[in-house]
Amino acid sequence: FVLTQPHYDHYSGLQYLITKKYITFQTEIWLNYKYSTSPSSFYAAILHQLVLLKCKFIIPTSRINTKNIQVWYPDKTIQNKGFPSNNLQIEPNPNNASIVIQFKFKNTSILFTGDIETSGWDQMKCPMMMRKVQFYCISHHGSLNGHLRNTCHMGAHIKSVVTCHNTFQT
């Protein structure tokens, strides 16, 4: 289970999944549980239930990837306060604490961006695999908020993620 960030509209369905026993001790929970924006008691109760179920927690960063899952952002564990370090990024904007993650299934891939905003995209290098993403899920905050950029890491001027996508060659 991947939770892009701990906002109510992202985690509220977990209670249903736990109640229906879709989430068990065998479930991996990909979640940055270290990022907190004064979470609600409901969120804390859900985390407690997941701990009691003995789920395996994974804090996703671009260093942790599998054959079918690739984390594009963040590079480091994100917190909303403290001091940045080699392993820690400070991000006051909770939307930019979103995980940007790609799932690959045979010849198909889908990219989930959470609620990352333009300033979050600007911290990220577009991976060369963008050309191989068949499905791109923009944040519910809207496409302008989700991926408006002026330049990509290759230095090309772009108007949208589609332009950036088309600049790559395989």
Side-chain angles (χ1 to χ4, degrees):
F1 183 89
V2 175
L3 184 64
T4 57
Q5 82 260 24
H7 288 166
Y8 181 80
D9 59 323
H10 293 257
Y11 69 76
S12 61
L14 270 169
Q15 184 62 57
Y16 175 82
L17 297 174
I18 292 168
T19 302
K20 293 294 186 180
K21 299 188 181 347
Y22 293 127
I23 294 181
T24 69
F25 70 94
Q26 296 173 313
T27 305
E28 287 183 351
I29 307 291
W30 290 53
L31 158 71
N32 182 3
Y33 58 84
K34 293 189 175 191
Y35 191 89
S36 171
T37 56
S38 302
S40 70
S41 57
F42 180 61
Y43 178 70
I46 287 174
L47 283 182
H48 182 69
Q49 289 176 62
L50 294 173
V51 169
L52 291 177
L53 286 170
K54 299 185 179 179
C55 294
K56 180 180 178 182
F57 285 88
I58 298 171
I59 298 177
T61 67
S62 61
R63 298 178 188 132
I64 302 172
N65 296 297
T66 71
K67 177 182 171 187
N68 298 314
I69 300 172
Q70 182 165 10
V71 179
W72 290 15
Y73 176 86
D75 292 331
K76 303 173 184 179
T77 301
I78 295 180
Q79 290 184 336
N80 64 337
K81 55 188 170 186
F83 299 98
S85 69
N86 289 340
N87 298 319
L88 182 66
Q89 175 181 327
I90 305 302
E91 178 54 64
N93 180 341
N95 288 336
N96 287 336
S98 291
I99 300 160
V100 177
I101 192 165
Q102 176 187 16
F103 295 95
K104 299 181 234 178
F105 309 97
K106 295 186 181 179
N107 295 325
T108 302
S109 73
I110 184 169
L111 183 67
F112 288 90
T113 62
D115 288 341
I116 196 164
E117 296 180 13
T118 301
S119 56
W121 275 106
D122 287 342
Q123 295 178 53
M124 179 177 29
K125 294 179 180 175
C126 287
M128 297 303 282
M129 297 78 54
M130 181 65 99
R131 186 176 189 90
K132 296 180 181 179
V133 172
Q134 285 85 22
F135 300 96
Y136 176 82
C137 298
I138 60 172
S139 70
H140 72 84
H141 293 284
S143 60
L144 288 180
N145 196 34
H147 60 66
L148 180 66
R149 297 181 70 174
N150 293 325
T151 59
C152 71
H153 75 284
M154 295 181 67
H157 182 74
I158 58 175
K159 295 180 182 175
S160 73
V161 73
V162 174
T163 308
C164 189
H165 174 282
N166 290 333
T167 62
F168 295 125
Q169 309 229 347
T170 55

